[in-house]
Amino acid sequence: MSSGVAADAARQDLRLGGFEETQLERQGLTLDTGAPVTAAVSTGTGVAAAFGDGVVRFFRPDEPPLIVEAHRGAVLCLVAEGTSGAVLTGGDDGRFLRVTADGTVEEIASFGTRWVDCVAAGPGHYACSSGRTAHVWHAGRPTARTFDHPSTVGGLAFDGKARRLAVAHYGGATVWERGERRWKSSKFVWKGSHGAATFSPDRKYLVTLMQENALHGWRLRDKADMRMSGYPAKVKSFTWIGSAPHLATSGADQAICWPFEGKDGPMGRPPDTCAYGGKQLCTAVTGLLGHDGVLAGFTDGCVLAGRVSPDGASEDLVVKGSSGTPVAALALTPEGWLFVGEEGGRVLWVRLGGKPA
């Protein structure tokens, strides 16, 4: 991400009536799609976004959005398929799909009336879940391996080399490690319902979102627990940013950023914060590894840009003004193109200022 986010003036104080439309907003593409935004991911040079009417839209610089009618119901989950530009999607029509950047739709699997709740992709592998079962494919092979779990799968994530697959469920997570001939499972126990999961970029930690207002993490080598709590609302969005790195999250009145450098990660340490939203709750975050900037969307529709700073001295910028509708999804490309999707279906596609990263 550019080191110089071009936005309107820095926020001066707590807003009373929300933020006005910014100059940056007026320079971007704004659409009212009529269907709620359910997810968005960077695909490299562009962004793919999923919607509640089954549509996937591809946004690329200086091109009109490509509209793909993929599912016969809501798109429930979305992940980028590596650097191919394609995405994998799951829907409430029971289908697991691969949608390419030219709009080609390939059905990988269909589970009938059972929803496809979660999808994941890693180098040479991809996976989805339906009910209690995770289905894992090796790229180029038609048959999936199936892994059953004690309750409905709440989240899937491969580590950076696809050597391990994390499956979140009630009571913790199961990590499946790929061997020469078979996958071996290991249990990570913590009471409660666990949702979306992510491995740290150095593959030393696993973190899950919980049904409660908290995250839970484990250090993989010794299964040491990390409870990251204190949120006023449920955490719905997280992203890895910076070189430390930090795990930036929603769920509070600002972006909460947990430090993961060192041998103990965030154990016994408070999080850093930025992008303070006053009385509004942060509903979505995005950023890039290697860059300390965070873009945070809020319940009133505004988007603020902040920077993780140990002394808290950074100044927030207003990227998008308040529309009155919560931000549902954010995605950012390495070249600084930002997608903002709202729960009501309004989207913004705009390039942040400064030189490309």
Side-chain angles (χ1 to χ4, degrees), residues 119-160:
V119 294
H125 292 77
Y126 48 88
C128 75
S129 71
S130 185
R132 300 183 178 190
T133 304
H135 305 260
V136 184
W137 284 262
H138 188 293
R141 299 178 186 175
T143 305
R145 293 177 180 269
T146 58
F147 303 142
D148 292 325
H149 302 91
S151 64
T152 299
V153 174
L156 293 174
F158 285 103
D159 69 10

Side-chain angles (χ1 to χ4, degrees), residues 17-287:
F19 296 112
E20 299 291 332
E21 182 184 41
T22 66
Q23 179 65 32
L24 188 70
E25 246 181 294
R26 291 190 285 273
Q27 294 173 352
L29 171 67
T30 299
L31 298 173
D32 189 351
T33 67
V37 178
T38 57
V41 293
S42 171
T43 59
T45 58
V47 163
F51 293 82
D53 59 358
V55 165
V56 174
R57 285 179 172 82
F58 289 88
F59 293 82
R60 287 183 282 264
D62 305 319
E63 295 182 20
L66 175 66
I67 302 172
V68 182
E69 296 182 359
H71 288 271
R72 296 185 288 270
V75 187
L76 301 178
C77 45
L78 171 78
V79 67
E81 187 197 50
T83 59
S84 70
V87 294
L88 305 175
T89 64
D92 65 7
D93 58 356
R95 295 196 300 158
F96 178 37
L97 304 180
R98 180 175 186 265
V99 185
T100 65
D102 66 359
T104 301
V105 178
E106 173 192 356
E107 183 178 283
I108 300 173
S110 177
F111 301 92
T113 58
R114 292 176 296 161
W115 294 5
V116 176
D117 303 299
C118 308
V119 294
H125 292 77
Y126 48 88
C128 75
S129 71
S130 185
R132 300 183 178 190
T133 304
H135 305 260
V136 184
W137 284 262
H138 188 293
R141 299 178 186 175
T143 305
R145 293 177 180 269
T146 58
F147 303 142
D148 292 325
H149 302 91
S151 64
T152 299
V153 174
L156 293 174
F158 285 103
D159 69 10
K161 294 184 177 181
R163 298 291 303 181
R164 291 176 290 196
L165 171 69
V167 182
H169 46 72
Y170 186 84
T174 301
V175 173
W176 296 88
E177 185 162 1
R178 178 164 53 90
E180 291 295 327
R181 294 186 178 181
R182 66 186 183 92
W183 292 71
K184 180 181 177 182
S185 67
S186 181
K187 303 290 186 183
F188 289 78
V189 179
W190 190 261
K191 186 179 179 180
S193 184
H194 297 254
T198 181
F199 286 97
S200 61
D202 61 7
R203 306 188 304 280
K204 294 180 179 178
Y205 301 93
L206 171 65
V207 180
T208 61
L209 304 186
M210 297 198 66
Q211 186 65 33
E212 298 81 9
N213 299 343
L215 308 174
H216 194 81
W218 294 270
R219 187 167 56 195
L220 294 171
R221 65 176 170 81
D222 58 4
K223 297 188 178 181
D225 289 295
M226 299 178 293
R227 179 166 172 76
M228 291 171 275
S229 58
Y231 290 89
K234 183 178 177 181
V235 181
K236 297 181 179 179
S237 175
F238 55 32
T239 188
W240 293 99
I241 63 164
S243 55
H246 284 80
L247 182 64
T249 70
S250 66
D253 56 5
Q254 54 195 324
I256 305 298
C257 305
W258 298 94
F260 273 78
E261 82 277 22
K263 65 177 182 179
D264 294 328
M267 293 181 185
R269 302 166 62 187
D272 296 316
T273 59
C274 63
Y276 178 54
K279 294 183 179 180
Q280 301 295 324
L281 284 175
C282 177
T283 54
V285 291
T286 192

